[in-house]
Amino acid sequence: QLSDQQKMSKSPLRWLKGVYLPPALHPLNKTLVKGGKWKDVDSTQEKRRSFLHDFCKKYNSRKKLQTHLVHLVSRIYVEDRHKVLYCEVPKAGCSNWKRVLMVLNGLATSAHNISHDDVHYGKHLKKLDSYDLKGIYTRLNTYTKAIFVRDPMERLVSAFRDKFEHPNSYYHPVFGKAIIKKYRHNANEEALKTGSGVKFKEFIQYLLDSHRPVGMDIHWEQVSKLCYPCLINYDFIGKFETLEEDANYFLQLVDAPAELKFPKFKDRHSSDERTSAEVVRQYLKELSKEERQLIYDFYYLDYLMFNYTSP
């Protein structure tokens, strides 16, 4: 008997049935929302949903994605009690979202006392690709699916600052060493040995290189390739720019406990200034006009899908 995995590799498109395009725009169940203060948030939400839906209809008439279903859902976290699916976009509030999912799941009483390591390395939350095909389909078709996104340039600069401007036992030796070796002329022995001190311009050279010395990473991968928003019909589209109100509205929609509010704290490097539009401008000054244009081209789909203004 063929395993599900073997069957899928024989006919990947067969398993896309049900999540293939164009996605149906299901009305959100708003019966649990209390009070009139959510009117504006709800109106914004409906605009984002219909914008993405219309974009996907147009875009996908030209391009069909052929991807295994298991790969499509590999970034999606599952919370079975409140029937929530959350697609993780790093640098868009994902650490605090995972804390919230742990509270919803009964794994913690408060989002405020869960450590960074527990969130990211604790393996407390299940991902959708850990279920069998029937489990994946059932959840995709019946759970409330959420994605939270961020302006692509802000997300990129935030990822660079987090991974390369602070000591890091993974990103410096793995990415830093390879980046310095390939893009820094006359690099000294210390830099080549530790991989510390990568400059933003060097990082961008790596990002835009079709022959990268080391692969992509989820912290700067495009949202279109992390969450496949045109293949999975997300019910809720939150934005980092309006994170708190979007998140708290979403918690009402899924009947979260009334006392659970989305945490406001910055997960790491709390003394650092948040990556804002002004901070991004300072970093982009280090690049040529051509490089800035190429970054925009790299994240072009993310800009379009989520209606972000080109910088």
Side-chain angles (χ1 to χ4, degrees):
Q1 282 190 336
L2 285 172
S3 71
D4 284 343
Q5 202 65 40
Q6 286 170 307
K7 285 183 201 162
M8 281 174 60
S9 62
K10 296 230 179 300
S11 170
L13 279 184
R14 248 183 81 207
W15 301 106
L16 279 174
K17 219 173 73 187
V19 286
Y20 210 53
L21 272 176
L25 191 61
H26 300 301
L28 269 174
N29 178 5
K30 298 169 191 173
T31 52
L32 297 161
V33 178
K34 297 168 185 72
K37 70 171 184 171
W38 301 108
K39 211 172 125 192
D40 290 347
V41 187
D42 175 62
S43 160
T44 302
Q45 187 53 225
E46 290 304 339
K47 283 178 193 147
R48 286 177 193 162
R49 279 160 38 92
S50 56
F51 184 90
L52 179 62
H53 181 258
D54 292 346
F55 167 80
C56 289
K57 268 206 306 204
K58 267 186 258 172
Y59 169 72
N60 280 286
S61 59
R62 298 196 306 273
K63 184 174 178 181
K64 293 281 181 256
L65 271 172
Q66 298 190 11
T67 313
H68 286 175
L69 177 60
V70 171
H71 177 67
L72 284 183
V73 302
S74 63
R75 305 288 341 146
I76 296 180
Y77 284 88
V78 179
E79 199 285 286
D80 281 316
R81 281 187 176 186
H82 297 79
K83 300 193 169 180
V84 170
L85 297 181
Y86 162 71
C87 188
E88 176 190 26
V89 175
K91 310 312 299 173
C94 71
S95 301
N96 279 339
W97 258 118
K98 287 195 257 188
R99 287 183 172 93
V100 166
L101 293 178
M102 285 169 72
V103 174
L104 286 174
N105 222 344
L107 298 166
T109 51
S110 161
H112 291 270
N113 48 21
I114 308 170
S115 73
H116 176 86
D117 284 359
D118 244 7
V119 165
H120 291 286
Y121 312 115
K123 305 275 185 261
H124 301 293
L125 297 165
K126 286 189 85 170
K127 284 188 178 167
L128 193 50
D129 63 354
S130 67
Y131 294 83
D132 62 14
L133 285 169
K134 184 174 181 238
I136 293 175
Y137 272 117
T138 305
R139 285 167 178 80
L140 275 177
N141 291 320
T142 57
Y143 283 23
T144 306
K145 300 175 287 297
I147 180 174
F148 276 71
V149 297
R150 185 177 187 176
D151 173 280
M153 291 282 188
E154 272 189 33
R155 191 177 151 241
L156 177 68
V157 171
S158 176
F160 172 77
R161 293 174 76 201
D162 181 24
K163 304 305 177 196
F164 296 103
E165 290 186 350
H166 295 272
N168 192 297
S169 59
Y170 172 72
Y171 284 90
H172 292 199
V174 175
F175 286 87
K177 277 161 81 167
I179 289 171
I180 289 169
K181 187 179 175 188
K182 181 159 185 184
Y183 307 106
R184 186 178 296 178
H185 306 299
N186 309 320
N188 66 38
E189 211 174 305
E190 178 69 9
L192 290 167
K193 196 173 121 195
T194 64
S196 296
V198 169
K199 296 179 172 70
F200 186 60
K201 193 176 176 77
E202 294 166 339
F203 172 65
I204 295 306
Q205 285 175 291
Y206 144 80
L207 182 81
L208 300 174
D209 188 349
S210 55
H211 302 287
R212 290 183 196 102
V214 59
M216 275 301 280
D217 180 85
I218 59 168
H219 291 84
W220 44 86
E221 180 68 278
Q222 300 104 319
V223 177
S224 54
K225 289 185 181 171
L226 288 172
C227 296
Y228 298 95
C230 278
L231 287 175
I232 295 169
N233 52 326
Y234 289 96
D235 304 294
F236 193 92
I237 301 150
K239 289 194 171 183
F240 186 80
E241 294 75 12
T242 49
L243 178 59
E244 216 180 306
E245 53 188 19
D246 289 350
N248 287 325
Y249 179 54
F250 179 78
L251 289 173
Q252 289 246 328
L253 289 171
V254 298
D255 201 21
E259 66 278 7
L260 178 61
K261 298 287 181 279
F262 192 79
K264 291 180 186 179
F265 61 83
K266 196 172 187 284
D267 188 50
R268 290 204 302 171
H269 317 310
S270 52
S271 59
D272 287 6
E273 184 188 350
R274 275 200 188 271
T275 304
S276 62
E278 186 45 52
V279 169
V280 170
R281 265 195 289 278
Q282 298 308 315
Y283 280 82
L284 293 183
K285 279 180 186 172
E286 298 171 29
L287 308 178
S288 68
K289 196 179 171 185
E290 290 70 29
E291 285 169 324
R292 293 198 293 265
Q293 180 62 48
L294 287 168
I295 299 172
Y296 174 72
D297 296 344
F298 184 81
Y299 290 108
Y300 183 59
L301 266 187
D302 289 359
Y303 273 102
L304 288 186
M305 279 179 172
F306 302 108
N307 201 16
Y308 278 110
T309 316
S310 58

